[in-house]
Structures are given as structure tokens and as C-alpha cells.
Amino acid sequence: MATIEEVEQARSRIQNIIHNTPIVHSRLLQEKWGRRVFFKVEHLQKTGSFKIRGAANAVTNAVSDGAKLVTAASSGNHGQAVAYVANELGIASVIAVPTDASPAKVAAIKAYGGQVEYCGTTSAERIPYAVSLAQQQGGVYIPPYDHRDVIAGQGTAGLEIIEQMTDVDVIVVPVGGGGLISGILTAVKAQRPDVLVIGAEPALANDTALSLERGEITAIGPTETIADGLRTTQPGDLTFPIVSELLDGLVLVEEEEIIEAMRDIAVRMKQLVEPSGAVAAAAVMSGKAGGPDQTIVAVISGGNVDLPRFASLMNTAEKE
Ligand SMILES: *Cc1c(COP(=O)(O)O)cnc(C)c1O
């Protein structure tokens, strides 16, 4: 299991690459939701999501070990983060993306200096490709969540939260493969075991909820939740033991709740967040995570949504 020492090391390793993002508050939202809620705004992080924390830690370690190339298998936030960090550290990156990847995402990876390779439509095709490419060229494959360095890097967000908000009672975190919440659990439970950490998953991608219920890693079928960063179909081999040992609770949110939270955040806080980024906020908004007497920090994990998509989601939201 990743340790608090690894999270501390990650922090000193990545501090010159990432932002220490602020925690923001909106009185209007607090009133509307009836919760004393604050937001750790990782959509304002470099590359638009927290994924750069884990990527920066893992790629820095690969470079220390002499790597001149890193690979990843993601057209989303992880792919962008790996491309950005590799470029910052002066090495090459190859990012394997599905043949139907959105042009905007591909353009972002290229803009960050990554080389894009199209490969199949499923991660089952993409991951072995990225792994073998790394092997052939003496590079290192960087997984999106199931890796000690990635978990430790994501944990730096947890360290920041407990330093920035010493009176926090509950931290609410979105759960995909579980890298972010495992890192936050590792940091927070070591330093502030009294602080509750609650995970939030879309009901349409409830693989971690099911796995916790059954006490073992359980896969679900492919899912179409609008929270595309949370479409992983099972928790990781490294993340699940951390989650099952340390997590205080897991709640499920509906698709309409995610859209509603995105809309409230846009209208009241003037912030543009992606569906995955609004899942923890949706859990607070719906009253499922955090009580009226608690000080809550919800992690807004990312903001990478293009405007036409944002607009079409807003058109389906209930009008105020
Ligand atoms: C990857 C991602 C998540 C989920 O993180 P995991 O470490 O896979 O649990 C949540 N939100 C956004 C915006 C992401 O990119």
C-alpha cells in the first residue's frame, strides 16, 4: 500500500510542476444546498484536472531512472497530463487514443507536446499497445490509477486540503479507478484520522460500490455515464484494498444530479466544470454526503469539457 511518506515525497517532487489549488466557497451555493460546503478546485489545476499530480510523480520517477520516453493509454485527462509533464521534463511521450477520440482531446494532447497514436476503440486494445511500445523503446508505461507513484501523487491533494481547511469534517471525492481517493485516504487518514472521507460514484458506474458490497473487486459492463472520467468498469488491484480498508462511505449520484450540480456551479460560482468534476459536488447537493452541521470539502476534479457539450448538457438541466 502507498504510504504517507510516499505522498510527502511526491509533494516535494512535483511542487514545481503543479499548482497548489485554492479552496473556494460560495455563500449562494451554501444557502441553496443548505450545507457548509467548500470546493478544492482541481479544474483550475494545470492541464485542467488533478491527474497531473500522479502523472508528475510517476514521470519524474521514470526520468530519474533514466527513461527518455513515457507512454499512456488515454485520450482524456490522464493522457493530457502525461504529455504535459513529459514535455516539461524534456522527454518524449506517446499517448495511445481510441480511433474515435474527440478531435479536441487529441489536439490538447498534441498541444502539450505528446505524440498521438490511434489504436482500437477499447482500453483492452490500447493498454497492451502502450505497454509494449514502452518496452520496445526503453520507455515507461504510466497507468492512470493503479500505480503506487500515481496514487501517492494524487494524495498530495489530500495533504493540501487538511492544511488549507483545518476545520474540515468531511472530504467528498469522485471515484473512477480509485487513484484519487486512495491517495487522499492515504494522506488524510495518516494525519487526520478524525476527518471522514466519502467517495462519490455515478449510479451508472457503480463498480466500486458493488465491489465494496461483495468484499472483492467486481467488474460492471461498459457504462455510458456522462461522467466520462469515471467510466472505469472495476476498481484497481492497488486502489481497492486502500479503499476497502480506509473509506468511510460511498454514495451514488444520478446523471441528472451531476448536470444539476454543474449548472449550480456555473450559475452561482461562475465556474466551468466537466461532468466527472461535478460528481462529488452532486453528492453534497443531493444531501447524500455530508450533513448540515459539518464542514465539507468537495473535490472538483476537472474542468475539461468543450463548450458545445457543456451547452447541450445545460439544455437538459431543469430551468431555475
Ligand atoms: C480520472 C478522473 C477522475 C477519477 O479518478 P480515479 O483516480 O480514476 O478514481 C475523476 N474526475 C476527473 C475529472 C478525472 O479525470
Side-chain angles (χ1 to χ4, degrees), residues 165-278:
M165 283 284 298
T166 49
D167 63 338
V168 62
D169 297 310
V170 186
I171 302 173
V172 189
V173 185
V175 179
L180 178 61
I181 198 157
S182 298
I184 289 180
L185 282 166
T186 302
V188 171
K189 292 298 177 180
Q191 300 203 336
R192 287 288 307 276
D194 58 307
V195 173
L196 297 177
V197 179
I198 307 286
E201 264 189 331
L204 287 184
N206 63 342
D207 51 301
T208 297
L210 268 185
S211 300
L212 287 170
E213 236 169 75
R214 303 217 178 137
E216 62 182 8
I217 294 176
T218 305
I220 58 169
T223 162
E224 285 303 317
T225 171
I226 57 167
D228 53 0
L230 309 179
R231 283 185 191 154
T232 37
T233 52
Q234 61 179 69
D237 293 328
L238 298 182
T239 57
F240 185 63
I242 301 176
V243 168
S244 33
E245 183 180 329
L246 298 176
L247 193 69
D248 293 298
L250 187 87
V251 301
L252 299 175
V253 299
E254 303 302 327
E255 301 289 293
E256 311 79 67
E257 291 171 332
I258 300 170
I259 296 170
E260 199 60 30
M262 288 172 73
R263 183 179 135 292
D264 277 357
I265 290 167
V267 173
R268 315 245 165 179
M269 290 207 300
K270 322 301 171 199
Q271 299 292 312
L272 185 69
V273 310
E274 63 180 280
S276 303

